[in-house]
Amino acid sequence: MADSSKSITERDTSKADSNKETASRATATPPGSLAGAVDRALRRFDPRSVWFGCGRTIIALAHLITLALTPSAALLHPLLGEQPYPHCAGVQAISTYCVGGDAVSQEWRRWIMVALLALVASGYRPRWTVWIHAWIAYSIGVSTSLPDGGEAIARIVCLLLILMGLADDRRWHWQRPTTALGPRRRGVAFAAFWALRVQLVILYLQSGISKFGVTDWLNGSAEYYVLRDPVFGVAEPFAAPLLKMSGNGLLVSAMTWGAILIEVVIAALLIGPERWRKLAFWMDVLLHGAIIATIGLWSFSLIMIGSAAVAATPDRVELAAPAPPSGRRPGRPAVPQDGRQTPVAEEPEDIDGADEAGGTGEAGEADREPTSTPHLG
């Protein structure tokens, strides 16, 4: 009996010391400094939101549409002066177009990838399906003969989604999480989240500013020629009204310079707080929705919209209440048939151990942020 009491006392002391250590780490940085703002943003960050899930689904659908509607012969069309596609030398040998050699036809590969992308888009087990998605995105980017800019962007984004997805223990990415996120996975996901945002900021800023080096964009006439391009020009049902609008000098200038302005504004908003990033997402939908409607770049536009959705992931996610066991009302402990309540032994808290087991062990008063605390986007 004395040994049991001593064990409980030592366990409680260890738990208190652990909480004190967590609190001391949380207050180690000055509250008004950049390091303090980053620390607070990190400790409340949780990528397991519907925004993260929607972004993954949209990007997966972009790839799915490309593969489902384009025969393998078109995706692997030979180019003048190059070896036949797919190229399977070196690291490219891990591509889905190369694994298995000639034993598997390219059409079979295409439909297997479509099925896998449908699984990714469904949102099932994001911690594991992020790997499948990154593999297929890499394969399309390095093995098809004419990948567009969207495929290059998707390769980077899908690699960063792996680091964010490692923190996602949900069965479906449409659900609210039910477990607390451990510090290690939180830190890795937070770094990948910021890397994604910085990549998009550079991309949109460079795209907008570089257009000033092209005469047609500078003088406001670029959209006139884009809409009349014989390959990528506007198609029905928008051809007649847009061709008429672009014939007006004032309107075509507004369309041309408006596209540049939106790109630069999106770049500025993506680096800001949550409400700014959500505004950037809707502006991204407007911009790329117009691109889809006018020149039909579906895959590229969906990849960009999906990436912006992930970048708009909220700063904090509320945990869902765990479902009570069947046959019991919430908040009532199980009672044996003899009417006596069974005592429940208290388990010691192990922050690092819980993180290794699945990210459920972050606790302590230091993690409770006041609602008035300023936060970093």
Side-chain angles (χ1 to χ4, degrees):
M1 189 70 178
D3 292 340
S4 176
S5 300
K6 182 179 179 181
S7 176
I8 293 174
T9 302
E10 291 175 349
R11 186 174 58 192
D12 291 342
T13 302
S14 176
K15 181 176 179 180
D17 291 341
S18 176
N19 288 339
K20 287 179 181 178
E21 182 181 354
T22 304
S24 65
R25 289 198 304 265
T27 57
T29 54
S33 66
L34 176 61
V38 172
D39 183 65
R40 290 191 299 274
L42 170 60
R43 286 187 288 112
R44 68 171 166 263
F45 177 72
D46 192 331
R48 299 172 297 175
S49 70
V50 173
W51 287 85
F52 174 71
C54 285
R56 291 188 64 236
T57 293
I58 293 171
I59 297 172
L61 287 175
H63 288 135
L64 189 153
I65 291 170
T66 298
L67 292 175
L69 301 182
T70 313
S72 297
L75 290 172
L76 303 174
H77 193 277
L79 300 180
L80 185 64
E82 294 192 15
Q83 296 293 324
Y85 282 84
H87 297 167
C88 297
V91 72
Q92 293 176 325
I94 66 172
S95 165
T96 54
Y97 287 96
C98 299
V99 173
D102 296 333
V104 184
S105 71
Q106 293 299 341
E107 277 300 292
W108 270 106
R109 296 175 192 271
R110 177 167 74 100
W111 289 111
I112 290 172
M113 285 189 282
V114 167
L116 291 174
L117 286 167
L119 176 65
V120 174
S122 73
Y124 182 70
R125 296 294 185 189
R127 177 175 286 176
W128 307 114
T129 53
V130 287
W131 295 89
I132 297 174
H133 194 184
W135 183 32
I136 295 176
Y138 170 80
S139 302
I140 296 173
V142 302
S143 295
T144 57
S145 55
L146 290 172
D148 63 20
E151 309 304 343
I153 296 165
R155 286 160 58 189
I156 298 172
V157 171
C158 288
L159 284 176
L160 294 173
L161 290 181
I162 290 178
L163 301 179
M164 295 180 69
L166 289 175
D168 200 339
D169 57 354
R170 295 173 293 178
R171 181 183 295 271
W172 300 94
H173 67 203
W174 312 107
Q175 298 172 326
R176 287 169 58 187
T178 58
T179 59
L181 187 61
R184 290 190 181 89
R185 289 192 175 94
R186 184 194 302 273
V188 171
F190 186 72
F193 176 61
W194 266 97
L196 171 63
R197 290 167 62 184
V198 170
Q199 287 284 332
L200 292 178
V201 168
I202 294 172
L203 189 152
Y204 277 107
L205 199 60
Q206 191 274 339
S207 178
I209 293 175
S210 66
K211 287 181 173 63
F212 288 107
V214 181
T215 303
D216 291 339
W217 284 99
L218 190 60
N219 63 27
S221 64
E223 287 293 345
Y224 178 90
Y225 300 106
V226 169
L227 294 174
R228 289 165 175 77
D229 186 275
V231 177
F232 294 105
V234 65
E236 297 295 343
F238 303 105
L242 286 175
L243 290 176
K244 185 176 181 179
M245 289 172 60
S246 62
N248 182 287
L250 183 61
L251 289 178
V252 76
S253 296
M255 293 165 64
T256 301
W257 293 331
I260 297 175
L261 178 63
I262 289 177
E263 287 181 326
V264 174
V265 171
I266 288 174
L269 293 175
L270 284 173
I271 208 71
E274 178 184 331
R275 62 183 181 276
W276 290 18
R277 300 197 304 272
K278 289 182 178 178
L279 177 59
F281 167 75
W282 291 114
M283 293 183 69
D284 201 87
V285 171
L286 174 65
L287 174 65
H288 291 286
I291 291 174
I292 291 173
T294 54
I295 58 179
L297 297 180
W298 280 88
S299 176
F300 167 75
S301 297
L302 288 176
I303 288 170
M304 297 308 303
I305 291 172
S307 301
V310 177
T313 296
D315 297 325
R316 186 193 298 268
V317 176
E318 295 293 334
L319 297 182
S326 58
R328 287 171 49 195
R329 288 187 293 175
R332 297 284 302 274
V335 179
Q337 293 185 2
D338 61 3
R340 293 177 297 176
Q341 292 189 0
T342 303
V344 179
E346 181 184 358
E347 292 294 333
E349 181 182 33
D350 185 356
I351 294 176
D352 292 337
D355 177 56
E356 292 297 324
T360 62
E362 192 168 61
E365 291 296 327
D367 286 337
R368 298 198 180 111
E369 287 293 313
T371 55
S372 61
T373 301
H375 62 271
L376 182 69

